[in-house]
Amino acid sequence: MPQASSDENQSSAAALREMVEDFLYQEAALLDAWRLDEWLALFTADGRYLVPTTDLPDGDPRKDLVFIDDDMVRLRARVERLKSRHGHREYPSSRTRRFISNIRIKVADGAMVVTSSFLVYRFRLGESSPYVGCYEHRLKRVDGELKIHHRKAVLDLEALREHGAVSIIL
């Protein structure tokens, strides 16, 4: 009988991994297609999007400078600006292609923390810019669906000299 329990745990872990991977790949596809309203719908009502500076990747946004620290109000405003002519750095929109790998899932005390590596290529005005780093997603189940409670994109770049500001959603 212990074998059945072990098999059930492995099956459950595999199902969770598949669900999380599908979620991350769907999120990447929505961002690459600039379906930003659908991407916003992946967040919980109290969701947060954070991009720390390259020199302080573990910085605390309450006391340290960060590139982006958006609650849902600011994130909605960011999406609206990116969809309009007012987002000058992204009008017309850049083309992007995202690659997600090295997905790790930790579940403890009802919280699900997912880390992964990313490579985002941004193509604009005949130039390409690679953004490399890691994501940390804190996911929750809401009405049986995975939702993003907290999304952190940590860039491995030492500086954004070639890139300028981060104008796309990483």
Side-chain angles (χ1 to χ4, degrees), residues 103-155:
I103 299 168
R104 299 282 185 240
I105 305 166
K106 290 183 184 175
V107 179
D109 301 324
M112 187 182 317
V113 178
V114 179
T115 57
S116 59
S117 299
F118 70 80
L119 171 59
V120 179
Y121 283 103
R122 174 183 180 245
F123 303 94
R124 180 165 172 77
L125 303 174
E127 295 183 10
S128 65
S129 302
Y131 295 86
V132 179
C134 63
Y135 289 130
E136 179 182 289
H137 286 80
R138 294 176 192 262
L139 304 178
K140 290 183 174 182
R141 287 186 197 257
V142 177
D143 297 328
E145 293 185 23
L146 289 179
K147 294 284 186 176
I148 302 167
H149 175 64
H150 187 271
R151 182 183 193 271
K152 181 178 179 182
V154 178
L155 290 163

Side-chain angles (χ1 to χ4, degrees), residues 41-59:
L42 297 178
F43 280 81
T44 60
D46 60 346
R48 195 158 207 89
Y49 170 52
L50 176 67
V51 180
T53 58
T54 55
D55 63 334
L56 201 56
D58 294 321

Side-chain angles (χ1 to χ4, degrees), residues 77-88 90-91 93:
R78 179 180 302 279
V79 164
E80 288 306 312
R81 190 173 55 255
L82 285 171
K83 293 180 348 183
S84 75
R85 290 178 178 256
H86 299 292
H88 302 293
E90 288 303 327
Y91 185 81
S93 302

